[in-house]
C-alpha cells in the first residue's frame, strides 16, 4: 500500500501543473503500469463498472433500472451534498446490490484546496453516505481525478482508500453519444479494467447522462462477448468486505 501512496503523490505533483479538468491525472499506460491498484486494475476475469457524481432522481433511477435489466453491478462514487439532498435514493442504490463510495462532499478540485479542507470534505461525505445507507465507504475518488498530496493526507485521516480508473467513456461532454461512449470504453475493455461513467449531469453537460444510459446495452453485450463479468470495486480488487 505504501507504494500506492508514493505513486499517488507523484501523480499529484504531475497533475498540479496540468489543466484543471477531467483528465488531470490521465497519464494513460504509464500510470497504469506504475500504479495499477490506484488505477483500479483488478481480477482478469472481471471489470469494475463505476459511476461518478450522483445520485439524482432524474437520472440515477433510470441507470439503476438498466443495470438491473442487463445484470450489471457497479460502484457509485457519490457526492455527499447530493446524498444529503436525496438520501432515500442513495439507500436505493445500496439496496440494489451496488457498492457505494465517496466522491467527496463538493465537486471541487483537491489541487485548489488545503489538506484540512480536503479532510473536512471527505469526512462530510463519509458521514452523509453512512447516514443515508448505513455503510461507511471504503473508497474515495477525487473530483476530476485531481489527486494531490492533500487527497492522500485527507484519505488517510478519514480512513478511505483512493482509487481512480483505467478507462473512461468521456460521457460528460455535450457531444457524447452512446456510440462514442462505447467506442472510448472499448479501447480499454479488458479483464482487470475499472470503467468510469457518470450517472448524473451534476457536473457534466446538461442531459449527458442520457447518452450514458443509451450506451449500457452495448457495454453489456461487449462484456458478454469477452467473457467478462462486472463486480463491485471491492470484489474486483479482491478486497471484498
Amino acid at each position: 500500500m505504501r507504494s500506492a501512496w508514493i505513486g499517488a503523490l507523484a501523480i499529484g505533483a504531475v497533475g498540479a501543473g496540468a489543466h484543471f479538468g477531467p483528465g488531470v491525472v490521465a497519464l494513460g499506460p504509464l500510470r497504469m503500469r506504475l500504479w495499477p491498484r490506484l488505477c483500479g486494475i483488478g481480477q482478469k476475469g472481471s471489470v469494475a463498472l463505476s459511476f461518478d457524481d450522483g445520485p439524482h432522481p432524474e437520472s440515477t433511477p433510470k441507470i439503476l433500472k438498466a443495470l438491473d435489466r442487463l445484470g450489471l453491478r457497479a460502484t457509485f462514487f457519490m457526492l455527499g451534498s447530493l446524498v444529503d439532498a436525496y438520501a432515500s435514493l442513495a439507500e436505493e442504490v445500496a439496496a440494489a446490490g451496488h457498492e457505494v463510495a465517496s466522491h467527496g462532499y463538493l465537486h471541487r478540485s483537491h489541487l485548489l484546496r488545503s489538506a484540512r479542507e480536503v479532510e473536512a470534505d471527505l469526512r462530510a461525505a463519509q458521514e452523509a453516505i453512512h447516514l443515508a445507507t448505513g455503510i461507511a465507504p471504503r473508497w474515495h475518488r477525487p473530483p476530476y481525478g485531481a489527486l494531490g498530496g492533500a487527497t492522500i493526507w485527507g484519505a488517510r485521516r478519514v480512513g478511505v482508500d483512493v482509487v481512480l480508473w483505467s478507462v473512461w467513456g468521456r460521457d460528460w461532454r455535450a457531444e457524447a453519444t452512446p456510440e462514442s461512449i462505447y467506442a472510448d470504453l472499448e479501447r480499454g475493455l479488458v479483464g482487470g479494467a475499472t470503467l468510469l461513467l457518470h450517472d448524473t449531469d451534476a457536473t457534466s453537460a446538461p442531459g449527458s447522462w442520457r447518452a450514458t444510459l443509451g450506451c449500457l446495452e452495448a457495454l453489456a453485450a461487449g462484456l458478454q462477448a469477452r467473457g467478462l463479468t462486472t463486480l463491485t470495486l471491492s470484489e474486483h480488487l479482491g478486497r471484498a468486505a
Side-chain angles (χ1 to χ4, degrees):
M1 198 62 189
R2 179 181 176 83
S3 61
W5 290 119
I6 294 172
L9 287 170
I11 290 178
V14 174
H19 176 68
F20 291 177
V24 143
V25 292
L27 304 183
L30 175 63
R31 170 165 62 92
M32 289 186 282
R33 194 162 55 244
L34 295 178
W35 306 292
R37 297 285 289 189
L38 181 65
C39 300
I41 304 300
Q43 300 180 39
K44 295 302 181 185
S46 66
V47 301
L49 174 59
S50 65
F51 292 90
D52 284 7
D53 292 359
H56 193 278
E58 181 184 16
S59 53
T60 304
K62 295 180 177 64
I63 297 289
L64 289 176
K65 185 176 180 179
L67 294 178
D68 180 63
R69 176 173 57 83
L70 297 167
L72 302 176
R73 298 176 69 203
T75 299
F76 285 77
F77 286 84
M78 299 181 172
L79 290 171
S81 55
L82 290 181
V83 172
D84 272 345
Y86 309 112
S88 62
L89 185 51
E91 184 180 21
E92 182 181 341
V93 172
H98 303 293
E99 186 169 25
V100 294
S102 166
H103 200 36
Y105 193 83
L106 300 175
H107 201 278
R108 294 178 182 169
S109 171
H110 289 183
L111 301 182
L112 303 175
R113 310 180 79 181
S114 71
R116 293 202 177 277
E117 287 175 331
V118 169
E119 179 192 352
D121 182 89
L122 267 60
R123 202 172 295 282
Q126 287 290 105
E127 292 173 355
I129 295 169
H130 186 239
L131 182 63
T133 67
I135 298 168
R138 67 187 309 163
W139 304 104
H140 172 74
R141 177 177 288 159
Y144 306 113
L147 191 156
T151 313
I152 304 307
W153 188 84
R156 296 189 70 173
R157 295 270 296 177
V158 174
V160 292
D161 289 329
V162 178
V163 67
L164 300 177
W165 61 87
S166 61
V167 59
W168 57 11
R170 299 196 301 154
D171 59 337
W172 66 85
R173 303 172 302 140
E175 61 270 27
T177 65
E179 293 76 21
S180 75
I181 294 169
Y182 182 69
D184 282 328
L185 291 176
E186 192 174 28
R187 295 187 182 101
L189 197 60
V190 296
T194 287
L195 318 182
L196 168 61
L197 293 170
H198 298 78
D199 62 305
T200 81
D201 58 8
T203 65
S204 305
S208 55
W209 62 267
R210 291 185 173 86
T212 304
L213 179 64
C215 168
L216 295 181
E217 190 98 36
L219 175 59
L223 291 170
Q224 183 177 25
R226 291 164 174 79
L228 298 172
T229 60
T230 55
L231 298 177
T232 67
L233 189 63
S234 289
E235 293 166 341
H236 180 63
L237 295 181
R239 302 170 68 178

